[in-house]
Amino acid sequence: MCKFFKIACKDKKNFVTLQAEMKKNNIILFFLLFLTSCTPSFEVHRLQKELNRRLTYADTRTELIKQAMSSGSIDSIRSVARSSKGVQFFIMDGSRIVYWSDNWLTAESIKVTTDNDWCFVPFRNAYTVGKWTQAGDYHILTIVPIKYNYPFYNRHFHNAFIAPFKGSDAWELGVSPNTEHQSQNSEDYALYSPSGTFLCSLQQLEHMDKEDAELNNFLSESFSFQPLLVQANMPDAKVVDRTRMRTYYILTLSLFIIILIVGIVGLVKARGFRNMRLATKLQYLIVTLILISFVYIFWMSIRYVRRTNQERQQVAILQKCKYVQAALQNIYFWNVSLTPANASGLNIDLKDLSYAYETDINVYDLNGSLLGTSTPILFDRGILSRHVPPEPFFSGKPVVTAQEHIGSLQYLVGYVPFYNGNYVPIGFISVPSFISHDAMVVEIDNYLSRLLPAYLIVLILALIVSLFATRSITKSLSRMAEKMHHYRLGKEDNHIQYNRHDELGELVTRYNELVDELESSARRLARSEREGAWRTMARQVAHEINNPLTPMKLTIQQLQRTRGTERFNDYFDKSTSMLIQQIDNLSHIAQSFSTFAKMPEVKASEVDVAAKLSGVIAMFSNGQILVRYIGPDVGVTALADEEQIAEVFTNIIKNAIQAMEENPNGDVIVQLQTKEKWVEISISDNGPGIAAEIQDKIFTPNFTTKSAGSGLGLAISKNIVEGCEGKITFETSTKGTIFHIFLKNKQN
């Protein structure tokens, strides 16, 4: 695609024709072609950026290696090298390697150069970038591996980029053929160091190497490395197990997804965990704990199987190492050292032992170099390194098991010393044991195929039991809440019946005791309130009766004193008139208290309040104070007491008129209007208003500011309105007072 695009760009006429044709057909296709052609440059830019970052990191780690070398401690060097992820070190003393941080890179020989800048260093099994640094009499070769480079292609030998580099297997690294560091191939891309020095070129492969038939034939006769073969497929029974396990995994994952979706939907509907009901909260907590426990047990089970498998492999390989060690000790009982002269006979002995113990065997001399092996082709082809790993060589431990790798594929190797008859170490013995990832996965699947169905059943049962358990726990609480909601003083059967002797039973018992105490307190309070009300009523009645009795007594006494005098007749007429007035006042007081005592229960129903209100206003139309009405005469229905609502209107209008007796311009306005759920009746006057110190007492029974009033009118009105589920309020100032009566609108 890139090549086609560049050729088209070189020929302006062809490019214009191509552009016009693409615009004519579909302009989007042109942009897709352009973006596709530019994709490699983006990939190269990303790879270049990561390479510069890794090289900078490698420089800092090299300085730490130099500092560790100055201390003369091999442990310090090993510590720095082990913590340098993705960077390897070789320390040379002249032409001799004295330290290596890893052994997987393979090379015929390593030659020290005086160039102290980063350069391209191709090993037999990897493309790398290296740099030489002098540290006293030693030279440090710092290696940053970029990409594997095996001599042939196999399903285990993918020539992929090495972490942290990422990219397609189709890229290949090489050195530019000319001195200007620019490839003659238009498809090559140059990679540079942070200082701008050319390192290597990146180009796309046109073909993949074929499989190596000779190596495959050799591996088929090997023991440890047989799983590397392409033909090493699993038996059909294992495939069946994989299919069954895949079904279990899908069922488990589906169940988890369903539970997760239901949980999220519940949280959204409830607007958070805090707003949920107690039963739902308990269900969430129990289910969450069950799922966490399930995931933890599942993870621990896999980890246990994996660790058990590895430990079993380690025990087996160390056992084989001991057998091979004993056999080689008997064969080389009298040898005081191993030299290249022993290599030919050693290879034959190792081959025989390999068939005897069904394992591959490698032997290294005391310098860590390979001396003999039962699998020479892996070393000859550059797949395995000819150096022993640094762990058994530099750690000084007699027995070591180490994880090594071919590419990204891990395998286990056991290392033991090679002793002669006097138990003098003359070399190192390594026994590889290829732990196949597929074999480990099969073992885990076989284990989980027995465990996972039981987990699923237990999980489903636990979810069901948790639902019933939370409902059972909160059932009594729900009954308590329902009882409290319908609780009424004096109502029978306010108790909750619960026969279990648990914490909820104690709570229910305490609730029942509190209900009994509340009922008893309510009866005592009601009796006390009735007695207090009667005492207050008696004082008020006595006060109201005492007011007219005093002038009546004085009048009669005066009549007694004037009897037989000339003033008697004249004073008698005035006195009788005043006595009759006071007697009428007593009669009015008695009638008001009788009305309050006999006031019937409020019975709310649908009433045409407009008709009731207009009828009441008609009674005040001939008075001295003007009463105006704004609103319909009929057709406004509200919830009210049909017999008593007119008394409410009468009381408030009468109070408004009485408040303006001294105002010659008195005006009362009554307005009726509908507001959503309410019917509002406003009664306003332009009187002096209600004093601030008595505003909170005007609805109190027996409270009045009039000399001849009983103080019951507004109290009766408030009781009637609130009994119809309405409300009554007022606003007052020095310019007048407005009473608002709100009744429920039955038309909405």
Side-chain angles (χ1 to χ4, degrees):
M1 187 66 72
C2 294
K3 188 175 182 179
F4 170 77
F5 186 71
K6 291 179 181 178
I7 292 174
C9 291
K10 290 178 182 178
D11 189 346
K12 183 177 181 181
K13 182 178 180 180
N14 292 340
F15 177 73
V16 172
T17 304
L18 174 64
Q19 188 180 32
E21 185 66 24
M22 293 177 70
K23 287 183 177 179
K24 180 179 178 180
N25 295 327
N26 194 340
I27 191 65
I28 298 177
L29 181 62
F30 174 76
F31 286 108
L32 290 176
L33 179 63
F34 178 75
L35 291 175
T36 304
S37 64
C38 295
T39 299
S41 63
F42 289 119
E43 179 71 17
V44 173
H45 177 72
R46 185 199 58 76
L47 185 61
Q48 180 72 67
K49 184 177 179 180
E50 179 61 32
L51 179 61
N52 288 339
R53 189 179 70 85
R54 295 305 299 176
L55 295 184
T56 303
Y57 169 76
D59 285 331
T60 61
R61 305 307 294 182
T62 303
E63 291 300 319
L64 293 177
I65 288 289
K66 289 178 63 178
Q67 296 175 12
M69 290 176 63
S70 63
S71 66
S73 172
I74 188 66
D75 292 334
S76 300
I77 299 174
R78 290 176 58 235
S79 177
V80 175
R82 189 164 46 243
S83 62
S84 302
K85 303 299 181 183
V87 182
Q88 296 186 33
F89 301 96
F90 291 90
I91 301 178
M92 306 288 294
D93 181 11
S95 61
R96 184 171 64 92
I97 300 177
V98 296
Y99 178 80
W100 54 97
S101 62
D102 206 336
N103 73 321
W104 72 269
L105 290 174
T106 61
E108 294 296 339
S109 62
I110 298 177
K111 296 181 180 180
V112 178
T113 64
T114 58
D115 189 4
N116 61 352
D117 200 357
W118 290 103
C119 61
F120 182 64
V121 181
F123 284 82
R124 296 189 65 185
N125 59 348
Y127 294 114
T128 70
V129 173
K131 179 180 180 180
W132 286 98
T133 305
Q134 189 168 0
D137 296 332
Y138 298 93
H139 290 82
I140 305 171
L141 175 60
T142 306
I143 297 293
V144 177
I146 301 177
K147 191 175 184 293
Y148 294 114
N149 180 35
Y150 290 104
F152 60 93
Y153 186 80
N154 182 288
R155 76 182 180 108
H156 290 293
F157 298 119
H158 291 291
N159 290 334
F161 281 91
I162 302 169
F165 304 104
K166 296 179 181 179
S168 171
D169 292 358
W171 290 106
E172 185 180 37
L173 283 85
V175 181
S176 177
N178 56 41
T179 57
E180 295 181 358
H181 306 313
Q182 294 181 355
S183 174
Q184 296 176 353
N185 190 339
S186 60
E187 294 296 329
D188 288 0
Y189 301 91
L191 299 180
Y192 298 90
S193 68
S195 62
T197 304
F198 174 79
L199 296 176
C200 55
S201 63
L202 187 70
Q203 59 184 343
Q204 288 184 315
L205 290 171
E206 297 182 358
H207 65 279
M208 289 290 182
D209 293 334
K210 301 295 183 180
E211 296 179 3
D212 194 316
E214 181 184 359
L215 179 61
N216 284 335
N217 292 333
F218 176 80
L219 291 178
S220 63
E221 300 176 359
S222 175
F223 295 99
S224 302
F225 298 97
Q226 280 186 2
L228 288 175
L229 286 172
V230 177
Q231 296 84 0
N233 297 321
M234 290 184 299
D236 295 338
K238 304 301 182 182
V239 176
V240 173
D241 290 341
R242 288 276 184 92
T243 304
R244 185 174 61 181
M245 282 306 304
R246 197 174 292 114
T247 304
Y248 291 149
Y249 290 145
I250 292 174
L251 290 176
T252 306
L253 184 61
S254 301
L255 182 60
F256 270 71
I257 292 175
I258 292 172
I259 294 174
L260 182 62
I261 293 174
V262 172
I264 294 174
V265 171
L267 286 173
V268 172
K269 285 186 176 180
R271 297 183 179 180
F273 183 77
R274 294 184 177 180
N275 300 324
M276 290 182 172
R277 296 178 61 86
L278 179 60
T280 309
K281 288 182 178 180
L282 289 176
Q283 291 173 3
Y284 266 70
L285 291 175
I286 293 174
V287 171
T288 301
L289 291 175
I290 291 173
L291 294 180
I292 292 175
S293 301
F294 179 86
V295 172
Y296 177 76
I297 294 173
F298 185 78
W299 174 71
M300 288 298 295
S301 299
I302 295 178
R303 185 180 178 185
Y304 170 77
V305 174
R306 188 184 301 275
R307 185 173 64 250
T308 302
N309 182 283
Q310 292 176 349
E311 290 176 353
R312 187 170 61 250
Q313 291 285 343
Q314 290 177 352
V315 171
I317 197 171
L318 290 178
Q319 191 67 29
K320 284 186 178 181
C321 286
K322 292 180 180 179
Y323 293 149
V324 173
Q325 183 187 45
L328 289 175
Q329 184 180 22
N330 290 331
I331 297 174
Y332 295 87
F333 193 89
W334 302 108
N335 288 61
V336 294
S337 64
L338 294 176
T339 63
N342 303 114
S344 178
L346 182 61
N347 283 338
I348 297 174
D349 294 333
L350 294 179
K351 195 69 173 178
D352 294 338
L353 292 175
S354 173
Y355 282 105
Y357 294 104
E358 296 185 352
T359 184
D360 296 291
I361 307 169
N362 305 316
V363 172
Y364 301 87
D365 60 21
L366 292 177
N367 293 323
S369 298
L370 182 71
L371 196 62
T373 176
S374 62
T375 56
I377 192 172
L378 294 177
F379 297 91
D380 295 340
R381 295 298 181 89
I383 297 174
L384 296 178
S385 172
R386 293 182 176 272
H387 281 86
V388 71
E391 183 65 22
F393 188 78
F394 295 104
S395 66
K397 297 179 181 179
V399 179
V400 174
T401 58
Q403 286 284 348
E404 299 186 17
H405 66 94
I406 298 177
S408 59
L409 207 60
Q410 302 286 333
Y411 66 97
L412 187 68
V413 184
Y415 290 91
V416 293
F418 191 160
Y419 293 122
N420 62 10
N422 295 322
Y423 287 92
V424 175
I426 58 176
F428 298 92
I429 303 171
S430 80
V431 176
S433 176
F434 192 92
I435 301 179
S436 173
H437 178 73
D438 294 337
M440 184 178 294
V441 170
V442 168
E443 183 172 352
I444 294 175
D445 287 347
N446 290 336
Y447 177 77
L448 293 181
S449 64
R450 298 186 295 271
L451 193 62
L452 196 57
Y455 279 177
L456 285 174
I457 295 174
V458 171
L459 178 61
I460 295 173
L461 290 177
L463 294 176
I464 296 173
V465 170
S466 68
L467 295 178
F468 283 102
T470 52
R471 289 183 180 180
S472 175
I473 292 172
T474 58
K475 184 178 180 181
S476 297
L477 296 177
S478 300
R479 290 178 59 190
M480 289 181 62
E482 185 178 358
K483 284 284 186 180
M484 292 178 181
H485 179 71
H486 295 93
Y487 177 81
R488 297 293 183 272
L489 282 174
K491 181 182 176 183
E492 297 181 358
D493 193 26
N494 280 324
H495 285 189
I496 298 176
Q497 302 299 326
Y498 189 83
N499 300 323
R500 299 178 184 176
H501 302 286
D502 53 11
E503 288 81 359
L504 288 177
E506 295 177 1
L507 181 62
V508 169
T509 301
R510 183 56 182 159
Y511 168 79
N512 292 336
E513 292 175 355
L514 290 176
V515 166
D516 293 338
E517 293 178 5
L518 182 61
E519 291 284 351
S520 177
S521 299
R523 287 193 294 269
R524 291 194 299 268
L525 180 61
R527 184 169 60 251
S528 176
E529 288 179 347
R530 285 196 299 270
E531 293 175 356
W534 281 113
R535 291 190 186 98
T536 303
M537 185 69 71
R539 287 193 299 269
Q540 185 68 23
V541 170
H543 176 74
E544 296 292 340
I545 293 176
N546 188 53
N547 286 338
L549 285 178
T550 300
M552 289 174 69
K553 179 180 179 181
L554 294 173
T555 301
I556 293 173
Q557 289 176 347
Q558 185 66 22
L559 282 174
Q560 289 176 345
R561 285 194 294 267
T562 58
R563 187 176 59 180
T565 65
E566 294 179 356
R567 294 186 302 155
F568 179 79
N569 291 333
D570 184 45
Y571 190 75
F572 180 80
D573 292 336
K574 293 180 180 180
S575 298
T576 53
S577 176
M578 187 273 292
L579 288 173
I580 292 172
Q581 183 180 359
Q582 295 297 330
I583 291 170
D584 288 340
N585 192 15
L586 287 173
S587 177
H588 175 70
I589 292 172
Q591 185 180 359
S592 296
F593 280 104
S594 177
T595 301
F596 182 76
K598 296 179 180 180
M599 189 173 61
E601 183 182 354
V602 177
K603 297 180 180 179
S605 62
E606 294 185 16
V607 178
D608 190 344
V609 294
K612 291 286 184 181
L613 185 59
S614 59
V616 171
I617 292 174
M619 294 189 302
F620 295 95
S621 59
N622 297 324
Q624 295 180 355
I625 302 297
L626 177 62
V627 179
R628 294 184 293 163
Y629 174 62
I630 302 173
D633 294 333
V634 293
V636 179
T637 305
L639 189 65
D641 189 306
E642 188 168 0
E643 301 295 332
Q644 302 183 68
I645 193 63
E647 184 177 353
V648 175
F649 301 149
T650 301
N651 286 336
I652 298 177
I653 294 174
K654 185 184 294 184
N655 286 346
I657 293 173
Q658 291 174 354
M660 296 182 297
E661 288 179 347
E662 298 179 359
N663 187 355
N665 298 319
D667 186 15
V668 178
I669 300 175
V670 182
Q671 184 177 2
L672 186 148
Q673 55 185 341
T674 303
K675 293 183 178 180
E676 297 181 356
K677 297 182 179 181
W678 299 98
V679 173
E680 181 183 358
I681 300 97
S682 302
I683 303 173
S684 63
D685 62 65
N686 57 350
I690 303 172
E693 60 270 12
I694 64 172
Q695 289 180 10
D696 58 343
K697 300 178 181 179
I698 63 171
F699 290 115
T700 304
N702 306 322
F703 176 79
T704 180
T705 59
K706 306 172 198 174
S707 60
S710 62
L712 297 173
L714 289 177
I716 293 173
S717 299
K718 187 174 188 295
N719 185 66
I720 294 172
V721 172
E722 291 182 348
C724 300
E725 301 181 17
K727 56 185 178 180
I728 181 170
T729 60
F730 70 92
E731 302 174 19
T732 185
S733 66
T734 56
K735 297 181 179 180
T737 302
I738 304 175
F739 276 86
H740 301 280
I741 302 170
F742 296 93
L743 300 174
K744 283 195 172 180
N745 186 0
K746 300 302 294 182
Q747 295 180 351
N748 291 336

